[in-house]
Amino acid sequence: MTFAIIGGTGFEDPFKEAPSQEIKTPFGPVDLLAPQDEDFYFLSRHGRNHGLAPHKINYRANIWALKELGVDFVYGICAVGSLKEDLAPGSICLAKDFIDQTWGREDTFFDGDFRPLAHLEMTQPYSPYLNELFEESWGQELFRAVYLCTQGPRFESAAEIKVYQLMGAHVVGMTNVPEVVLAKELGLHYSLVCHVTNLCTGLVDRVEEVGPLAPDQKKRVLEAIKKSFKHIDPSRAGGNTHWV
Ligand code: HPA
């Protein structure tokens, strides 16, 4: 079994000193870190210095590189804004579903060019098994959120946030689509740990500068992920990719 973590905003650096590895993919090269004494790969979604805007991330290359390395289980980590007053900044939650409001991104391998056209079934975009494992490792019940992905890099208007609330979204971010979709297309079991950095536009007078996760919370998230990796039983992970 091979594992990976995809870290986002505020999570680029935990393994900065780890040996890096360049993986060639049909979509371009990807730099990954292979931390010593650990049994997982670490991929910094925005590049190692947070240089890549959400719509410019090479999502297909990232996921392909993980597949190339034989990765089966992935925890993504994303910074999100909260649409719920009671899901306050500093909270951790897990994703259970998504709404896609992005445009123009390369969001499939099965586009009829690279691979024959195929339609992925999407009842469970996120692995309920990995979610449960993380919750157990975390030691507290965690809210399961509907994640709405915006195009970014700007934040939302207050009117947009009202619409997103009506649509049933709980948190907003800019990167999890197409990451989760591509992972599923290649049969990876994927779960998303969200850390809330702010209440969204309109819920506060002004959205404050989005701060990084506090160091102790960051450590706790990583420890819970590592513990989850240790307890994975592939026979309990269930089927993942279904085509309609
Ligand atoms: N909106 C979109 N993406 C985000 C936010 C937000 O308020 N906070 C962190 N990522």
Side-chain angles (χ1 to χ4, degrees), residues 79-81 150 155-156 172-174 197-198 200 210:
V80 294
T150 69
F155 276 41
E156 304 70 41
V172 180
M174 302 177 190
T197 54
N198 58 283
C200 284
V210 175

Side-chain angles (χ1 to χ4, degrees), residues 78 80 82 84-93 138 142-143 193-197 213 217:
C78 274
V80 294
S82 170
K84 281 161 57 72
E85 304 268 5
D86 57 351
L87 192 62
S91 311
I92 301 290
C93 63
W138 185 255
L142 290 168
F143 180 68
V193 179
C194 304
H195 59 100
V196 176
T197 54
L213 197 58
Q217 279 288 83

Side-chain angles (χ1 to χ4, degrees), residues 48-70:
R48 286 171 77 176
N49 300 313
H50 198 250
L52 283 177
H55 62 289
K56 291 191 176 161
I57 293 172
N58 197 343
Y59 296 97
R60 291 201 296 182
N62 285 351
I63 297 298
W64 193 270
L66 296 184
K67 187 69 181 177
E68 196 74 33
L69 288 164

Side-chain angles (χ1 to χ4, degrees), residues 189-243:
H189 296 270
Y190 181 101
S191 160
L192 183 70
V193 179
C194 304
H195 59 100
V196 176
T197 54
N198 58 283
L199 288 175
C200 284
T201 316
L203 276 73
V204 282
D205 289 344
R206 181 179 287 271
V207 176
E208 296 298 334
E209 192 181 4
V210 175
L213 197 58
D216 57 329
Q217 279 288 83
K218 202 157 151 173
K219 197 160 154 237
R220 192 173 164 201
V221 168
L222 285 177
E223 290 306 320
I225 290 178
K226 287 193 213 177
K227 192 168 167 192
S228 305
F229 283 152
K230 286 206 176 69
H231 287 94
I232 286 177
D233 170 359
S235 71
R236 291 188 52 212
N240 188 21
T241 307
H242 303 284
W243 302 95

Side-chain angles (χ1 to χ4, degrees), residues 1-199:
M1 280 191 295
T2 310
F3 313 117
I5 299 174
I6 305 179
T9 303
F11 250 95
E12 297 88 356
D13 57 344
F15 305 104
K16 234 183 352 219
E17 311 305 330
S20 71
Q21 215 169 313
E22 189 187 270
I23 309 295
K24 293 200 167 46
T25 79
F27 312 101
V30 174
D31 245 354
L32 276 131
L33 299 176
Q36 266 159 349
D37 306 325
E38 304 284 6
D39 60 354
F40 56 83
Y41 293 98
F42 181 83
L43 175 59
S44 176
R45 182 181 293 118
H46 292 267
R48 286 171 77 176
N49 300 313
H50 198 250
L52 283 177
H55 62 289
K56 291 191 176 161
I57 293 172
N58 197 343
Y59 296 97
R60 291 201 296 182
N62 285 351
I63 297 298
W64 193 270
L66 296 184
K67 187 69 181 177
E68 196 74 33
L69 288 164
V71 169
D72 320 281
F73 295 96
V74 182
Y75 279 101
I77 306 172
C78 274
V80 294
S82 170
L83 299 167
K84 281 161 57 72
E85 304 268 5
D86 57 351
L87 192 62
S91 311
I92 301 290
C93 63
L94 293 162
K96 66 170 180 185
D97 207 343
F98 70 78
I99 299 171
D100 182 14
Q101 291 289 292
T102 68
W103 49 270
R105 299 184 182 189
E106 296 285 3
D107 59 0
T108 178
F109 295 109
F110 295 85
D111 58 358
D113 289 322
F114 181 72
R115 287 281 183 274
L117 175 64
H119 304 283
L120 186 64
E121 203 268 349
M122 266 294 145
T123 306
Q124 281 179 335
Y126 302 94
S127 161
Y129 176 63
L130 287 187
N131 276 353
E132 264 170 48
L133 272 185
F134 182 86
E135 190 173 59
E136 277 166 30
S137 307
W138 185 255
Q140 273 168 292
E141 209 174 307
L142 290 168
F143 180 68
R144 303 292 202 271
V146 173
Y147 173 109
L148 185 140
C149 196
T150 69
Q151 180 72 352
R154 69 167 175 84
F155 276 41
E156 304 70 41
S157 70
E160 284 171 328
I161 290 297
K162 273 194 194 142
V163 173
Y164 296 162
Q165 283 172 326
L166 291 173
M167 287 165 95
H170 304 118
V171 297
V172 180
M174 302 177 190
T175 55
N176 202 236
V177 184
E179 186 172 285
V180 59
V181 175
L182 295 166
K184 203 171 182 65
E185 281 191 346
L186 294 191
L188 307 182
H189 296 270
Y190 181 101
S191 160
L192 183 70
V193 179
C194 304
H195 59 100
V196 176
T197 54
N198 58 283
L199 288 175

